[in-house]
Amino acid sequence: MKSIRLDPRTLIILLSTASVVAFLPKGLGVEIALVSACALLQVACGYPTMAIKWSVGFVVLVVLLNAVLPVLPITVSTVFTISLTYARKIYLCLMVGALAIRSTTVHRFTTALQSWHIPQTFLIPLSITIRYFPMLKSEAGHIRDAMKLKEIPPSQRIECFTVPLIMSATMTADELSAAAVTRGIENPIASTSTERLRMHIDDWLCLAGAVVLCVVAIALA
Amino acid sequence: MEGKQQDIAAELSGISVTYPSGDVALHAVNLSVYRGECVLLCGRSGCGKTTITKCMNGIVPHFEMGTTRTGKAVVAGLDIDTTQMYELALKVGSVFQNPKSQFFNLTSDDEMAFGLESAGVDPDEIDRRVRAAVADLKAERLMHRNVVTMSGGEKQSLVYASVYAMDPDVFVLDEPTANLDAGAIEILRTQIAKTKAAGKTIVIAEHRLYFLSDIIDRAILIEDGRVVREFTRDEFTALSEEERHALGLRTLSDSSSLTTVISSEDHMRGGPCSGQRGSGLEVEGLSCAMMAKYQLPRGVSFTARHGEVLGIVGSNGSGKTTLLRCLAGLERGRKGHVRFDGKVLDRSASNQASYLIMQDVNHQLFSDSVENECRLAAPSASSARIDGVLQSLDLLHLKERHPMALSGGQKQRLAIATGLLAEKRILLFDEPTSGLDFDHMVGVSKLMQDLKTRAVAIVVATHDREFLSRACDRVLDISDLLLGRVGGGV
């Protein structure tokens, strides 16, 4: 079966729906139904491994909360109960979020936001920020290596890490902006996009399914 | 007269530039570039050639606000002063030094479309132009890729193709090869040649000259912010070595300076070198997890005796940097033997004994002054010793300076100073001359000669052949290992 490719706008709506549902009180049955629905969606989008991981993760989470934590000493269990309960609350958001990150690109995402007339002054910094993360990671790796070659006293480690990182970020910001303006990023004309986003039947079906699940969840709450 | 006017693609008249610091970068420069010409701007670091490119692509005065510029600049028929940057972007394409900081999308296809999308071009037209650019530049290998996993050379190639897709009239290139190795430079050369063949005008500021010798029409020598000489291609390529060195220019031919360096197997076995067995750095069958993962040469063996500089060469992605990192104990899963002066060094002992001077030395300077940087490296060193080491590296007069306020060469020497102060005995250099002009490259090779006398082992990974022939006593080519031609074995 061919996997479906959701429009980023569908994913954004699904994500917002999931965050609303997250804070509704719901029984275990409804929870399982919702998680299964998300897992099915992940499979349909072509990520079966992702679906398996998140489903197993949910089972482990529920078992920990319902079976393991109650038998642990109270001092230990309180520490974990709060964070694990919270994780369980937002589990749907995490699942849809994981799917969104894997299945769409920043370019598709910004194109979607453009179609909703989100202003460029917001979109440009957003896409540059996302684009900067991988670079930040590699810079941080270089700096950590450089620190390993020196015996740096623990008291100075944070400073020694952040100073070169900020220096490099400043330089990168400058160079990136220079490259951006020479490519015409400031052009006031409405940008076009090669993504040609269109809501397909799959998208509408997903949204309809999400509405039905939401209504049922609210009715049972 | 009218016809002549039309033929000018870029014209600077009486351009003077003063930076916010008060430094004057250009003094009343006059320069005309004709349509379809490829003009090289050359000269020592800091001579002003980059500033000329900035005056042509509008960075000065539109982007660098504190910089003042007088005179008149007209490029592709547009008066720079009265034209918006986004209008210039359609006529003037710019490629800069650093491949890491010139792309905005994480996938190559989106990046190719970026400039045209900003200009509001119809998506079908964008697709057509991107396809044409890819075909022209033979850039198929760059498409449908995640930019993060591309090599520096591929990124620069993508940046060039993205600019090419916008179809500007004038290309302004500012040291585009500063961070590239020989293979990537060759690809860039063919891209530039193709651009010229398409009738475009190209202005390029560069230190590396050999790859341009058959593309350029004219070379313009800049000194202290002034145009001092102009050469036709024939005059330029006919410069003798002495004249070239006097002008501070790099080699014009790729291979001539290489003759004595690379032979093969005797390097692996210690070869004809000074010093005796059991002294210096001896490496046998070195491997690490990273080498296995990326199928780099494994089981590498070589020696670097006291009093010699061992050069490591190899094509793009052949694992030079990984080999150095492995020697420095930075790579996991290390196998094989490393000895220094007969003493076996395990991974953590290697880490203690060696110091890697990285290609981007900014990553390894942490402190707020040159002196404190030294104290951080060697808390127990006496002031006299610190002064001594700084003196020997010509840094003593900069003791109070902030490391980030030093020049590139000074930063590099400071990193070396900290290594020496921390009693590091194995000095590893990763591309120490990338982006350096002739004089600075000679400076680094002299520094190597000086370091040789300090009972340390020196290993240098480089693709700078001119430097290699000056600085290194022996050479290990790890591409050979990959092909199974010498030494090695797993």
Side-chain angles (χ1 to χ4, degrees):
Chain A
M1 198 187 101
K2 204 170 162 288
S3 54
I4 59 176
R5 188 171 195 199
L6 291 180
D7 189 287
R9 285 167 293 194
T10 309
L11 288 162
I12 295 172
I13 297 170
L14 285 181
L15 197 57
S16 350
T17 319
S19 14
V20 174
V21 173
F23 294 99
L24 288 176
K26 46 191 178 294
L28 185 61
V30 174
E31 247 183 305
I32 292 175
L34 289 170
V35 168
S36 311
C38 276
L40 276 178
L41 185 64
Q42 290 176 339
V43 174
C45 290
Y47 303 101
T49 326
M50 181 193 281
I52 292 168
K53 275 188 195 157
W54 284 96
S55 307
V56 171
F58 183 71
V59 173
V60 171
L61 194 59
V62 171
V63 170
L64 277 177
L65 277 170
N66 292 350
V68 179
L69 288 183
V71 297
L72 286 179
I74 190 86
T75 46
V76 183
S77 66
T78 44
V79 178
F80 291 103
T81 309
I82 297 169
S83 53
L84 289 183
T85 309
Y86 192 70
R88 182 176 172 178
K89 276 237 174 275
I90 61 165
Y91 205 77
L92 279 180
C93 305
L94 297 177
M95 283 183 86
V96 180
L99 179 65
I101 289 171
R102 277 286 288 282
S103 68
T104 194
T105 61
V106 180
H107 193 236
R108 277 173 74 79
F109 191 70
T110 45
T111 305
L113 293 180
Q114 258 167 28
S115 75
W116 284 339
H117 302 289
I118 307 281
Q120 290 284 331
T121 44
F122 173 78
L123 284 182
I124 293 171
L126 177 78
S127 53
I128 300 279
T129 310
I130 297 173
R131 172 236 172 278
Y132 185 66
F133 279 118
M135 185 147 172
L136 191 71
K137 199 175 144 198
S138 91
E139 294 290 303
H142 284 301
I143 295 164
R144 260 199 302 275
D145 282 345
M147 288 171 69
K148 276 188 212 155
L149 291 163
K150 277 191 183 158
E151 282 164 43
I152 291 174
S155 62
Q156 293 185 35
R157 284 209 182 125
I158 293 178
E159 189 188 332
C160 287
F161 184 71
T162 44
V163 169
L165 198 62
I166 290 170
M167 284 293 173
S168 108
T170 319
M171 266 159 64
T172 306
D174 237 29
E175 292 173 3
L176 260 179
S177 331
V181 295
T182 57
R183 286 232 230 137
I185 200 168
E186 297 168 314
N187 203 326
I189 199 170
S191 298
T192 48
S193 175
T194 47
E195 294 295 352
R196 301 180 180 81
L197 293 182
R198 243 190 67 215
M199 295 290 281
H200 293 275
I201 182 79
D202 296 336
D203 293 297
W204 295 116
L205 284 176
C206 275
L207 292 178
V211 168
V212 170
L213 280 171
C214 269
V215 170
V216 171
I218 292 168
L220 292 177
Chain B
M1 192 61 208
E2 185 68 11
K4 190 76 187 163
Q5 281 291 318
Q6 274 184 355
D7 281 336
I8 289 182
E11 183 157 43
L12 305 183
S13 324
I15 293 281
S16 294
V17 171
T18 310
Y19 280 121
S21 59
D23 293 334
V24 179
L26 295 177
H27 302 269
V29 166
N30 294 309
L31 182 62
S32 300
V33 179
Y34 299 99
R35 183 152 304 166
E37 240 193 340
C38 176
V39 172
L40 167 70
L41 305 172
C42 58
R44 295 181 169 83
S45 295
C47 70
K49 54 188 186 303
T50 290
T51 311
I52 293 183
T53 64
K54 287 179 181 172
C55 292
M56 289 187 171
N57 60 20
I59 292 282
V60 171
H62 293 298
F63 184 74
E64 291 184 2
M65 308 275 185
T67 304
T68 51
R69 201 214 73 196
T70 56
K72 190 172 171 69
V74 178
V75 180
L78 302 169
D79 183 335
I80 298 284
D81 290 321
T82 55
T83 310
Q84 295 289 331
M85 282 304 278
Y86 62 84
E87 291 169 304
L88 273 175
L90 303 173
K91 297 280 183 190
V92 185
S94 303
V95 177
F96 301 95
Q97 281 189 30
N98 189 350
K100 286 190 291 186
S101 55
Q102 294 177 71
F103 57 88
F104 309 96
N105 290 280
L106 296 176
T107 52
S108 55
D109 299 27
D110 300 341
E111 186 59 25
M112 290 285 285
F114 173 78
L116 294 167
E117 288 180 345
S118 299
V121 176
D122 179 72
D124 293 329
E125 172 68 6
I126 296 180
D127 281 345
R128 197 189 60 72
R129 278 162 73 170
V130 168
R131 269 199 308 275
V134 168
D136 275 0
L137 300 177
K138 299 192 174 55
E140 290 82 4
R141 73 192 181 291
L142 299 175
M143 300 315 287
H144 322 304
R145 295 271 303 273
N146 176 350
V147 180
V148 179
T149 61
M150 284 182 161
S151 71
E154 287 173 326
K155 280 180 189 153
Q156 194 71 323
S157 213
L158 175 66
V159 169
Y160 194 94
S162 311
V163 170
Y164 187 92
M166 292 181 73
D167 198 27
D169 295 336
V170 180
F171 284 67
V172 177
L173 317 177
D174 180 21
E175 293 187 43
T177 72
N179 297 296
L180 304 189
D181 66 17
I185 290 174
E186 175 54 26
I187 290 169
L188 189 72
R189 191 191 71 78
T190 57
Q191 291 180 327
I192 296 174
K194 178 73 206 177
T195 310
K196 193 186 168 195
K200 305 293 184 182
T201 309
I202 301 158
V203 177
I204 176 168
E206 258 297 353
H207 286 304
R208 290 227 187 83
L209 306 175
Y210 71 85
F211 76 105
L212 290 167
S213 52
D214 55 352
I215 302 181
I216 57 165
D217 297 300
R218 277 190 297 154
I220 290 168
L221 181 71
I222 319 289
E223 248 170 44
D224 299 324
R226 294 182 174 87
V227 173
V228 292
R229 269 178 87 175
E230 198 180 308
F231 305 87
T232 62
R233 171 172 49 200
D234 291 341
E235 288 166 354
F236 194 60
T237 49
L239 282 176
S240 73
E241 196 164 332
E242 290 72 36
E243 289 174 295
R244 206 166 38 74
H245 291 176
L247 300 174
L249 301 179
R250 292 285 220 133
T251 185
L252 293 170
S253 62
D254 188 15
S255 50
S256 68
S257 52
L258 252 184
T259 45
T260 55
V261 185
I262 302 171
S263 62
S264 60
E265 294 191 28
D266 56 3
H267 309 317
M268 305 303 306
R269 303 286 165 241
C273 61
S274 55
Q276 62 224 138
R277 250 190 136 55
S279 85
L281 177 69
E282 295 174 305
V283 175
E284 261 178 55
L286 190 68
S287 298
C288 66
M290 185 73 97
M291 292 177 180
K293 188 174 168 198
Y294 291 99
Q295 292 166 359
L296 300 173
R298 276 167 285 172
V300 183
S301 305
F302 60 86
T303 57
R305 305 284 183 213
H306 291 307
E308 68 171 1
V309 175
L310 176 72
I312 297 197
V313 298
S315 55
N316 196 9
S318 62
K320 300 189 290 285
T321 300
T322 308
L323 180 58
L324 291 188
R325 289 171 47 81
C326 189
L327 273 176
L330 291 172
E331 288 291 338
R332 272 193 280 266
R334 196 173 92 168
K335 295 198 188 91
H337 300 286
V338 176
R339 286 187 297 274
F340 188 76
D341 284 354
K343 191 168 156 260
V344 175
L345 304 177
D346 62 12
R347 194 180 139 205
S348 80
S350 289
N351 191 254
Q352 296 258 310
S354 44
Y355 198 64
L356 171 64
I357 288 94
M358 298 171 153
Q359 187 172 0
D360 185 352
V361 77
N362 290 316
H363 290 137
Q364 51 195 149
L365 299 176
F366 305 109
S367 212
D368 57 1
S369 74
V370 167
E371 187 179 10
N372 289 340
E373 194 69 52
C374 295
R375 295 219 176 280
L376 180 69
S380 55
S382 68
S383 296
R385 184 166 140 68
I386 290 179
D387 286 1
V389 170
L390 288 178
Q391 177 77 54
S392 70
L393 291 165
D394 193 22
L395 289 168
L396 192 55
H397 61 294
L398 301 168
K399 212 168 142 181
E400 309 299 327
R401 249 337 148 80
H402 195 289
M404 288 303 148
L406 301 176
S407 75
Q410 290 164 345
K411 283 181 191 170
Q412 197 178 46
R413 295 207 299 278
L414 177 57
I416 297 170
T418 61
L420 292 173
L421 283 165
E423 306 283 356
K424 302 282 191 174
R425 306 296 303 280
I426 306 171
L427 295 182
L428 309 166
F429 292 83
D430 193 3
E431 304 291 358
T433 59
S434 66
L436 295 191
D437 65 7
F438 180 79
D439 296 344
H440 288 95
M441 181 275 291
V442 171
V444 176
S445 56
K446 288 204 178 110
L447 183 59
M448 298 282 160
Q449 302 308 313
D450 177 44
L451 289 173
K452 285 204 311 200
T453 62
R454 301 193 186 210
V456 290
I458 304 172
V459 182
V460 186
T462 183
H463 50 62
D464 182 345
R465 301 187 155 194
E466 195 177 15
F467 167 70
L468 200 68
S469 67
R470 281 176 178 266
C472 299
D473 301 294
R474 289 186 304 132
V475 171
L476 168 68
D477 186 342
I478 59 171
S479 308
D480 283 353
L481 288 174
L482 199 58
L483 299 167
R485 287 209 294 268
V486 276
V490 181

mmCIF file of all heavy atoms in Angstrom, chain B residues 62-84:
data_model
loop_
_atom_site.group_PDB
_atom_site.id
_atom_site.type_symbol
_atom_site.label_atom_id
_atom_site.label_comp_id
_atom_site.label_asym_id
_atom_site.label_seq_id
_atom_site.Cartn_x
_atom_site.Cartn_y
_atom_site.Cartn_z
ATOM 1 N N HIS B 62 24.920 48.797 1.957
ATOM 2 C CA HIS B 62 23.576 48.472 2.446
ATOM 3 C C HIS B 62 23.564 47.594 3.682
ATOM 4 O O HIS B 62 22.699 47.714 4.528
ATOM 5 C CB HIS B 62 22.768 47.783 1.336
ATOM 6 C CG HIS B 62 22.478 48.685 0.189
ATOM 7 N ND1 HIS B 62 21.726 49.819 0.333
ATOM 8 C CD2 HIS B 62 22.850 48.640 -1.120
ATOM 9 C CE1 HIS B 62 21.638 50.438 -0.844
ATOM 10 N NE2 HIS B 62 22.317 49.736 -1.723
ATOM 11 N N PHE B 63 24.490 46.648 3.776
ATOM 12 C CA PHE B 63 24.433 45.674 4.874
ATOM 13 C C PHE B 63 25.354 46.068 6.020
ATOM 14 O O PHE B 63 24.980 46.010 7.187
ATOM 15 C CB PHE B 63 24.800 44.282 4.336
ATOM 16 C CG PHE B 63 24.680 43.206 5.365
ATOM 17 C CD1 PHE B 63 23.430 42.758 5.769
ATOM 18 C CD2 PHE B 63 25.821 42.639 5.919
ATOM 19 C CE1 PHE B 63 23.318 41.760 6.722
ATOM 20 C CE2 PHE B 63 25.704 41.639 6.873
ATOM 21 C CZ PHE B 63 24.452 41.195 7.266
ATOM 22 N N GLU B 64 26.565 46.487 5.703
ATOM 23 C CA GLU B 64 27.494 46.934 6.751
ATOM 24 C C GLU B 64 27.276 48.425 6.963
ATOM 25 O O GLU B 64 27.936 49.272 6.362
ATOM 26 C CB GLU B 64 28.937 46.626 6.344
ATOM 27 C CG GLU B 64 29.212 45.127 6.339
ATOM 28 C CD GLU B 64 30.662 44.773 6.038
ATOM 29 O OE1 GLU B 64 31.492 45.686 5.861
ATOM 30 O OE2 GLU B 64 30.945 43.566 5.978
ATOM 31 N N MET B 65 26.366 48.707 7.857
ATOM 32 C CA MET B 65 25.886 50.075 7.991
ATOM 33 C C MET B 65 26.958 51.050 8.485
ATOM 34 O O MET B 65 26.990 52.202 8.084
ATOM 35 C CB MET B 65 24.694 50.121 8.958
ATOM 36 C CG MET B 65 23.607 49.145 8.608
ATOM 37 S SD MET B 65 22.497 49.839 7.400
ATOM 38 C CE MET B 65 21.250 48.596 7.244
ATOM 39 N N GLY B 66 27.822 50.603 9.386
ATOM 40 C CA GLY B 66 28.792 51.519 9.978
ATOM 41 C C GLY B 66 29.924 51.896 9.038
ATOM 42 O O GLY B 66 30.713 52.793 9.302
ATOM 43 N N THR B 67 29.986 51.188 7.894
ATOM 44 C CA THR B 67 31.070 51.420 6.950
ATOM 45 C C THR B 67 30.707 52.591 6.038
ATOM 46 O O THR B 67 29.592 52.644 5.536
ATOM 47 C CB THR B 67 31.281 50.148 6.113
ATOM 48 O OG1 THR B 67 31.532 49.077 7.027
ATOM 49 C CG2 THR B 67 32.441 50.288 5.173
ATOM 50 N N THR B 68 31.638 53.520 5.844
ATOM 51 C CA THR B 68 31.325 54.629 4.950
ATOM 52 C C THR B 68 32.015 54.434 3.615
ATOM 53 O O THR B 68 33.158 53.978 3.550
ATOM 54 C CB THR B 68 31.773 55.977 5.532
ATOM 55 O OG1 THR B 68 33.131 55.843 5.932
ATOM 56 C CG2 THR B 68 30.932 56.361 6.727
ATOM 57 N N ARG B 69 31.298 54.782 2.554
ATOM 58 C CA ARG B 69 31.853 54.596 1.211
ATOM 59 C C ARG B 69 31.583 55.859 0.410
ATOM 60 O O ARG B 69 30.489 56.424 0.475
ATOM 61 C CB ARG B 69 31.141 53.413 0.548
ATOM 62 C CG ARG B 69 31.897 52.773 -0.605
ATOM 63 C CD ARG B 69 30.963 52.279 -1.666
ATOM 64 N NE ARG B 69 30.421 53.408 -2.407
ATOM 65 C CZ ARG B 69 29.369 53.341 -3.191
ATOM 66 N NH1 ARG B 69 28.719 52.205 -3.342
ATOM 67 N NH2 ARG B 69 28.927 54.406 -3.841
ATOM 68 N N THR B 70 32.581 56.310 -0.318
ATOM 69 C CA THR B 70 32.363 57.429 -1.229
ATOM 70 C C THR B 70 32.633 56.950 -2.645
ATOM 71 O O THR B 70 33.153 55.850 -2.848
ATOM 72 C CB THR B 70 33.306 58.601 -0.909
ATOM 73 O OG1 THR B 70 34.654 58.092 -0.949
ATOM 74 C CG2 THR B 70 33.037 59.154 0.479
ATOM 75 N N GLY B 71 32.281 57.770 -3.618
ATOM 76 C CA GLY B 71 32.487 57.369 -5.007
ATOM 77 C C GLY B 71 31.220 56.764 -5.562
ATOM 78 O O GLY B 71 30.148 56.824 -4.944
ATOM 79 N N LYS B 72 31.334 56.191 -6.756
ATOM 80 C CA LYS B 72 30.153 55.683 -7.436
ATOM 81 C C LYS B 72 30.386 54.247 -7.881
ATOM 82 O O LYS B 72 31.444 53.917 -8.415
ATOM 83 C CB LYS B 72 29.862 56.565 -8.645
ATOM 84 C CG LYS B 72 28.519 56.309 -9.315
ATOM 85 C CD LYS B 72 28.282 57.386 -10.382
ATOM 86 C CE LYS B 72 27.059 57.075 -11.233
ATOM 87 N NZ LYS B 72 25.787 57.201 -10.498
ATOM 88 N N ALA B 73 29.393 53.389 -7.627
ATOM 89 C CA ALA B 73 29.491 51.994 -8.050
ATOM 90 C C ALA B 73 28.265 51.641 -8.872
ATOM 91 O O ALA B 73 27.143 51.809 -8.418
ATOM 92 C CB ALA B 73 29.593 51.085 -6.830
ATOM 93 N N VAL B 74 28.497 51.187 -10.097
ATOM 94 C CA VAL B 74 27.394 50.763 -10.955
ATOM 95 C C VAL B 74 27.665 49.323 -11.384
ATOM 96 O O VAL B 74 28.709 49.025 -11.960
ATOM 97 C CB VAL B 74 27.275 51.665 -12.204
ATOM 98 C CG1 VAL B 74 26.143 51.173 -13.109
ATOM 99 C CG2 VAL B 74 27.027 53.108 -11.793
ATOM 100 N N VAL B 75 26.752 48.419 -11.063
ATOM 101 C CA VAL B 75 26.931 47.019 -11.413
ATOM 102 C C VAL B 75 25.679 46.532 -12.132
ATOM 103 O O VAL B 75 24.554 46.798 -11.675
ATOM 104 C CB VAL B 75 27.187 46.157 -10.153
ATOM 105 C CG1 VAL B 75 27.374 44.694 -10.540
ATOM 106 C CG2 VAL B 75 28.423 46.654 -9.412
ATOM 107 N N ALA B 76 25.881 45.853 -13.244
ATOM 108 C CA ALA B 76 24.775 45.346 -14.073
ATOM 109 C C ALA B 76 23.776 46.455 -14.387
ATOM 110 O O ALA B 76 22.559 46.242 -14.379
ATOM 111 C CB ALA B 76 24.085 44.165 -13.376
ATOM 112 N N GLY B 77 24.297 47.649 -14.605
ATOM 113 C CA GLY B 77 23.438 48.769 -14.971
ATOM 114 C C GLY B 77 22.711 49.419 -13.798
ATOM 115 O O GLY B 77 21.949 50.348 -13.979
ATOM 116 N N LEU B 78 22.938 48.909 -12.578
ATOM 117 C CA LEU B 78 22.245 49.447 -11.412
ATOM 118 C C LEU B 78 23.214 50.272 -10.560
ATOM 119 O O LEU B 78 24.328 49.825 -10.292
ATOM 120 C CB LEU B 78 21.669 48.308 -10.563
ATOM 121 C CG LEU B 78 20.688 47.370 -11.260
ATOM 122 C CD1 LEU B 78 20.409 46.153 -10.397
ATOM 123 C CD2 LEU B 78 19.398 48.109 -11.574
ATOM 124 N N ASP B 79 22.759 51.458 -10.144
ATOM 125 C CA ASP B 79 23.561 52.252 -9.227
ATOM 126 C C ASP B 79 23.394 51.652 -7.830
ATOM 127 O O ASP B 79 22.296 51.617 -7.284
ATOM 128 C CB ASP B 79 23.075 53.707 -9.244
ATOM 129 C CG ASP B 79 23.938 54.593 -8.359
ATOM 130 O OD1 ASP B 79 24.564 54.069 -7.417
ATOM 131 O OD2 ASP B 79 23.986 55.818 -8.601
ATOM 132 N N ILE B 80 24.494 51.149 -7.284
ATOM 133 C CA ILE B 80 24.424 50.418 -6.016
ATOM 134 C C ILE B 80 23.754 51.256 -4.923
ATOM 135 O O ILE B 80 22.952 50.745 -4.135
ATOM 136 C CB ILE B 80 25.842 50.007 -5.553
ATOM 137 C CG1 ILE B 80 26.477 49.065 -6.568
ATOM 138 C CG2 ILE B 80 25.820 49.389 -4.157
ATOM 139 C CD1 ILE B 80 25.986 47.671 -6.554
ATOM 140 N N ASP B 81 24.063 52.550 -4.889
ATOM 141 C CA ASP B 81 23.556 53.384 -3.804
ATOM 142 C C ASP B 81 22.042 53.514 -3.792
ATOM 143 O O ASP B 81 21.428 53.602 -2.739
ATOM 144 C CB ASP B 81 24.164 54.796 -3.897
ATOM 145 C CG ASP B 81 25.633 54.766 -3.547
ATOM 146 O OD1 ASP B 81 25.988 54.018 -2.621
ATOM 147 O OD2 ASP B 81 26.409 55.466 -4.212
ATOM 148 N N THR B 82 21.434 53.523 -4.976
ATOM 149 C CA THR B 82 19.996 53.796 -5.033
ATOM 150 C C THR B 82 19.182 52.539 -5.309
ATOM 151 O O THR B 82 17.967 52.604 -5.506
ATOM 152 C CB THR B 82 19.683 54.830 -6.136
ATOM 153 O OG1 THR B 82 20.224 54.340 -7.361
ATOM 154 C CG2 THR B 82 20.312 56.176 -5.811
ATOM 155 N N THR B 83 19.845 51.383 -5.314
ATOM 156 C CA THR B 83 19.127 50.143 -5.607
ATOM 157 C C THR B 83 18.975 49.322 -4.329
ATOM 158 O O THR B 83 19.917 49.215 -3.553
ATOM 159 C CB THR B 83 19.896 49.310 -6.658
ATOM 160 O OG1 THR B 83 20.217 50.157 -7.762
ATOM 161 C CG2 THR B 83 19.058 48.156 -7.153
ATOM 162 N N GLN B 84 17.779 48.781 -4.129
ATOM 163 C CA GLN B 84 17.559 47.922 -2.961
ATOM 164 C C GLN B 84 18.324 46.605 -3.128
ATOM 165 O O GLN B 84 18.501 46.123 -4.242
ATOM 166 C CB GLN B 84 16.056 47.606 -2.826
ATOM 167 C CG GLN B 84 15.194 48.807 -2.527
ATOM 168 C CD GLN B 84 15.400 49.327 -1.121
ATOM 169 O OE1 GLN B 84 15.733 48.566 -0.214
ATOM 170 N NE2 GLN B 84 15.229 50.630 -0.924
#
